[in-house]
Each structure stands twice: as structure tokens, then as C-alpha cells.
Amino acid sequence: MTSMAQASGVGTKWLKRFYVFLFAVMAFTGFGQMPIFKRYYISDIPGLGWSADFYKTHYIHYLGGAVLLGLLAYLIVDYLLTGRRRYCLTASAWARIVLLGGIVITGIFRVLKNLPDVVFSPGFTMLIDIAHLGFMMAYLLAGLIFLIFKSRWTTGLDD
Amino acid sequence: MTRDISRRTFLKGGLAAAGALTASSLPLPSSVKGASDQELATLIDIRKCIGCEACVEACKEVNESKFPEPEQPFPRMYPSRVKVSDWSDRRDEVDRLTPYNWLFIQEATVTVNGREETYTIPRRCMHCQNPPCADLCPWGAARKLKNGITRIDADICLGGAKCAKVCPWHIPQRQTGVGLYLDIFPGFAGNGVMYKCDRCYNRIAEGKLPACIEVCPEHVQKIGPRDEIVKEAHAIAEEINGYIYGEKENGGTNTIYVSPVPFDLLNAGIEKGPGRPGLQPVADSMAHADNLAKAMVIAPMAGIAAAAGKFIATAKKATRLKEENQ
Ligand code: SF4
Ligand code: SF4
Ligand code: SF4
């Protein structure tokens, strides 16, 4: 292991935990954009009353989106600067990265659409709406499959 | 400006708006166009309305083919708390908004300088400039058109009524037993289709006026490029010492009311409830999205800076470790 790698690599465990937490929040508030939480009693669960308020879930989803963008920018730059000298991304990681990219890009278009001076064509609007949900479902499914097969994001360069 | 915007100027304005939009040079795909002040807006001069309801009738007549024809019996919906919204046997109701009545005349009784006065106000969708109903629709069924019209596509809407919940005036109205949800999981998702004024988008596309505007004997409404409509509304308000509603509400709408009496008085003097919107002050529903969109631009920069900072710190530490090991 190089001295560079020795010096870095702290806090990865916490970062992972934070990523999982953030993703759970994004998935929950994302699904909350569909009018299902009230119908299916989710907002009746004590402490989850707010989940039926579309403005609240939207606010949290946006806030989470900003944090996620910051985190992803950090992880990408960190990988390019130091990470790639210490570990390789596995095939399952690349699959997840592609799906994540799909979620992020469609999400960015969704945010653009909601700006007051931007109007998308009806077909394009529907496409990004459905693609955003589709990428998310695929990401969750992929995550589940990779969890079952214990497929990790990274392998050490020496492995 | 002339008293009425003639059809020719109306079309010219519309074309100019279309031209301005084509020229828009946002670095986005061609299916994405920037909106502009050249959206079409309507002016509603409350002083002139006599409450004859000719507009209400005309709206029903020209839009009849768009009205729901629900299949009976409705599929059973689960869980049982999901309510059926059925207006199909009350199609003639005109004293509120329904899936079969997209415009109604609201009566306001107000006391001004000790005198009781009654005003009749045409009410329908405001066609917001940044409509939360369309922004927050999870399927893209509710959408804003480039000419400032917000409409709900009845072929795509699943009737979840989110648009009605997030609309500050709760305008869209649901009819159960129609639409796409019937072909998916009718028992478990969706509940019909949402209906509201679509500003006669098909008539506008043909160069015609919306029916309610064309038929009004008192010329209560006008339609034209938004900046001209706003200018005229201000000119009238100044002349009569009056008030404006809809210019700033919900971040700006394409329906501008002018009244000789303050809107808080009118708001207090109208009957409000389901299908009967108020005239209350409304803050921009989507302001949070605009602010957080800015945060989304800054956040990645912060992420990059943090990673670069970590790299520099690590490099320094690595050099130190190397020196110590030597
Ligand atoms: S037709 Fe004109 S005058 Fe008659 S109710 Fe409608 S807006 Fe008022
Ligand atoms: S008034 Fe309500 S339904 Fe109409 S565009 Fe605005 S938010 Fe949508
Ligand atoms: S613009 Fe058309 S759809 Fe809207 S209220 Fe008038 S007649 Fe009805």
C-alpha cells in the first residue's frame, strides 16, 4: 500500500452509512410524490403524518437532492484523485453507477422543469417523470440483487 | 391600447410569442423551450360582470366532448377509505367547479362605505405561471403549455388528485370511473381523471377565442400577451382606484382580475369550500423549489472543494509519513 493510500481512507464507513441513509430518505420522499401514502395508511403511522403533505416531502426530496449532488461530486473527485490508486470499481458498481447516473440526470431535468421560466414539451416531461421512477426502481432492484450475491462496490487493487 | 384586443392583434401577439420562444437559446434539448412574458393572459374586469352565466353555458357547450363518460359500475377500490367522486348524475350543477363545470360565477356581497354591494366574479383555473399542479404531477399528466395554458391530459391522468391538493385554489375536480387507471390496477391505484378549465387550448390553437370570452355580452374578459394584459389591468386599477388579483399571487398567474373593491373584502364576502375557491393572498408555492435549485448548483462545488481539500491534506500527510519512514 502506498503512503498516499495509507494517509487517506478514513471515515469511509461513515460515508457509506450516510449514503444509505440519504438514499432511504430520497426513496421514501420520492415515492411520497405519488398520492399513495395517505391511501395506504403510511401517513397514519405515528410520526409520519408529514408524509402526506406533498410540499413537505418535495422540500425534503429537493434538500436531499442537493446533499446527494454534493456527496456524489465529492466521491467522484475523491475517486479520481486518490481512490483509483487504492481500489477498483467492480462490475456491479459500474451497473449501479449507470443507474445512479440515470436517476441524477432525470432528477436534474425534473428540477429544471420546475423553474418558473422553463417549459418542457409534454412528451419530454412524461419521459423524464417515468424514467426517473424507472431508474430508481432498477437501482433498488440492482441493490437488492447485489446484496443477495454479496457483490461489493470495490475491490482492493491487490485483491 | 384599444378597448378590446381584436382577434388580429391577439393572433399577432400569439405568433410573436411563438417567435420569441423559438428564438430562445437555452442550452437545452429542442423539446425544451423557455417561457417568456409573451404567455397569454386574461383580464377579468369584475365591474362589468352582470352574472348572466352565458360564459358558464358556453364553456359547457364547447367542452362537452371533453367531459367524462364514466363506466358504471365503478371498480371497487381498496382500501375502503378511498372515496368515489361521481358527478355524472349532477352534470347540470353550475354553482361550483365540477368535472362538468369548469367555470362558475361566484357572488360576493360586500359593504363599502356603509353600502352593501354585490359583485359577480367568473371563477376557474388561474393558469399559474409556475403551476404547482403541473410541477408536482408525478406523471406529467398536468402540464403547462408554452402559451401559458395549464392543462391536464385526460388520457394520462390517473386521478390521484395531487394537483387539486397542491393547487392553492384546489381547482381540479375528480370524476371516478374514467381514464387510464381502469386499464392498470383500478382497485389499487388511481381513482379517475381530474378536470378543469383548459383555456379552450384547442380553440386557441385554431386561432379562436376561448368560448367564455367570445360569448360574454359585457366583454368582461380579454385575452392577450401577458405584459399587455398586466399593463391594461394597472391602467384600469389606477383609473378607478382599484385592486388587482392574480398578477403576483402564487408567483404570478395568467388570470388578472381587476376590482373596484379590495380583494380581502371580496374574499370575506364569498362562499368558499370544495369547488368554490377563495380570493385570499397566495405566496409562491414553488419558491422553495427555486431556492433549493440554487443549492443544487452550489452543493457539487462544495463536494469538489471538500475532495480537493482532502487530497491536499492527504498528500501532505503522505509526505510527512514518507519523511518519517526514511
Ligand atoms: S358572460 Fe360575462 S357578464 Fe355574463 S356571467 Fe359571464 S363574465 Fe359575467
Ligand atoms: S390555479 Fe391551480 S389548477 Fe390552475 S394552474 Fe394554478 S395550480 Fe394549477
Ligand atoms: S377558457 Fe374555455 S375551458 Fe376555460 S372557462 Fe373559458 S370556456 Fe371554459
Side-chain angles (χ1 to χ4, degrees):
Chain A
M1 209 185 246
T2 64
S3 48
M4 186 77 181
Q6 224 178 335
S8 126
V10 259
T12 319
K13 201 171 83 186
W14 283 104
L15 224 81
K16 260 188 199 158
R17 281 182 190 169
F18 180 65
Y19 178 77
V20 170
F21 166 76
L22 185 61
F23 233 85
V25 170
M26 292 306 273
F28 184 73
T29 53
F31 282 114
Q33 296 311 301
M34 290 184 279
I36 49 173
F37 283 4
K38 185 147 186 245
R39 180 166 179 166
Y40 290 108
Y41 301 91
I42 289 164
S43 59
D44 290 350
I45 299 169
L48 286 183
W50 56 272
S51 68
D53 182 329
F54 295 116
Y55 283 111
K56 287 198 180 116
T57 52
H58 194 249
Y59 190 95
I60 299 168
H61 200 69
Y62 259 57
L63 197 65
V67 176
L68 185 67
L69 284 178
L71 183 65
L72 291 179
Y74 171 82
L75 291 173
I76 291 167
V77 175
D78 188 48
Y79 174 74
L80 293 177
L81 291 178
T82 54
R84 65 195 165 128
R85 289 184 220 166
R86 293 191 292 125
Y87 49 78
C88 270
L89 290 171
T90 60
S92 75
W94 281 110
R96 277 183 274 210
I97 286 168
V98 169
L99 296 174
L100 195 57
I103 297 173
V104 171
I105 291 165
T106 49
I108 290 172
F109 273 107
R110 204 65 184 68
V111 169
L112 283 175
K113 196 209 84 163
N114 289 355
L115 291 176
D117 47 0
V118 178
V119 176
F120 287 179
S121 75
F124 189 70
T125 303
M126 257 189 81
L127 182 80
I128 52 168
D129 280 352
I130 291 169
H132 193 62
L133 181 68
F135 277 122
M136 183 62 189
M137 303 281 265
Y139 186 83
L140 290 180
L141 194 71
L144 195 69
I145 292 170
F146 295 146
L147 191 74
I148 292 167
F149 288 100
K150 295 202 168 51
S151 182
R152 296 170 49 197
W153 278 79
T154 57
T155 52
L157 274 181
D158 314 328
D159 287 6
Chain B
M1 206 165 126
T2 49
R3 192 173 163 275
D4 280 300
I5 294 175
S6 71
R7 180 165 297 176
R8 189 185 289 163
T9 35
F10 162 59
L11 282 178
K12 218 164 72 187
L15 284 177
L21 289 171
T22 329
S24 148
S25 56
L26 277 168
L28 295 166
S30 61
S31 51
V32 178
K33 297 277 194 294
S36 76
D37 241 9
Q38 290 308 307
E39 286 176 358
L40 297 173
T42 52
L43 173 64
I44 301 182
D45 189 339
I46 290 174
R47 292 173 303 165
K48 294 182 182 172
C49 179
I50 56 170
C52 68
E53 292 186 338
C55 52
V56 178
E57 257 169 63
C59 176
K60 274 183 174 299
E61 210 178 291
V62 303
N63 291 311
E64 206 188 341
S65 62
K66 299 174 194 163
F67 290 163
E69 289 302 336
E71 287 168 27
Q72 302 264 18
F74 301 137
R76 231 185 116 76
M77 288 185 289
Y78 300 93
S80 54
R81 64 153 66 172
V82 184
K83 282 196 211 93
V84 161
S85 315
D86 185 18
W87 289 91
S88 58
D89 51 1
R90 286 175 286 166
R91 295 181 190 221
D92 297 335
E93 215 154 294
V94 290
D95 64 350
R96 57 162 285 174
L97 299 172
T98 79
Y100 300 89
N101 197 54
W102 302 351
L103 164 69
F104 82 108
I105 302 300
Q106 202 166 33
E107 214 175 272
T109 310
V110 293
T111 310
V112 188
N113 301 328
R115 245 191 33 231
E116 200 168 86
E117 288 174 9
T118 301
Y119 290 91
T120 49
I121 313 163
R123 297 304 305 275
R124 48 143 172 89
C125 167
M126 301 287 285
H127 296 281
C128 303
Q129 289 198 286
N130 195 20
C133 61
D135 282 344
L136 301 181
C137 172
W139 302 113
R143 74 268 306 248
K144 186 185 162 186
L145 309 183
K146 281 167 258 161
N147 58 7
I149 292 174
T150 300
R151 65 171 286 244
I152 300 169
D153 191 328
D155 293 335
I156 297 165
C157 176
L158 297 177
K162 185 182 179 187
C163 53
K165 282 208 192 85
V166 298
C167 166
W169 295 277
H170 311 300
I171 298 284
Q173 301 289 317
R174 173 163 57 199
Q175 173 63 47
T176 301
V178 275
L180 190 60
Y181 91 108
L182 293 173
D183 302 325
I184 310 176
F185 301 116
F188 301 98
N191 186 357
V193 171
M194 307 302 295
Y195 294 90
K196 70 170 193 75
C197 159
D198 60 14
R199 190 167 274 176
C200 293
Y201 75 97
N202 47 327
R203 287 173 62 90
I204 290 203
E206 291 165 13
K208 292 183 192 157
L209 285 171
C212 56
I213 300 185
E214 192 172 73
V215 79
C216 176
E218 303 296 322
H219 308 288
V220 169
Q221 291 195 67
K222 264 174 209 179
I223 187 164
R226 190 175 193 271
D227 50 357
E228 284 179 32
I229 290 291
V230 168
K231 217 187 283 168
E232 184 166 2
H234 278 277
I236 298 172
E238 207 167 302
E239 188 190 316
I240 64 170
N241 226 346
Y243 304 85
I244 289 174
Y245 187 81
E247 184 192 357
K248 301 261 160 64
E249 279 65 25
N250 202 22
T253 81
N254 284 324
T255 301
I256 319 287
Y257 287 95
V258 187
S259 159
V261 294
F263 282 92
D264 51 354
L265 278 188
L266 290 173
N267 188 38
I270 54 177
E271 197 187 318
K272 294 180 283 283
R276 297 190 181 100
L279 287 162
Q280 74 281 16
V282 174
D284 185 355
S285 308
M286 294 306 291
H288 71 283
D290 302 349
N291 293 332
L292 286 169
K294 284 177 205 139
M296 286 186 202
V297 176
I298 299 164
M301 293 185 218
I304 293 169
K310 184 188 157 199
F311 176 70
I312 294 164
T314 316
K316 273 189 192 156
K317 202 171 151 195
T319 327
R320 218 182 50 231
L321 280 173
K322 217 173 178 179
E323 280 167 10
E324 280 170 15
N325 288 346
Q326 272 167 7

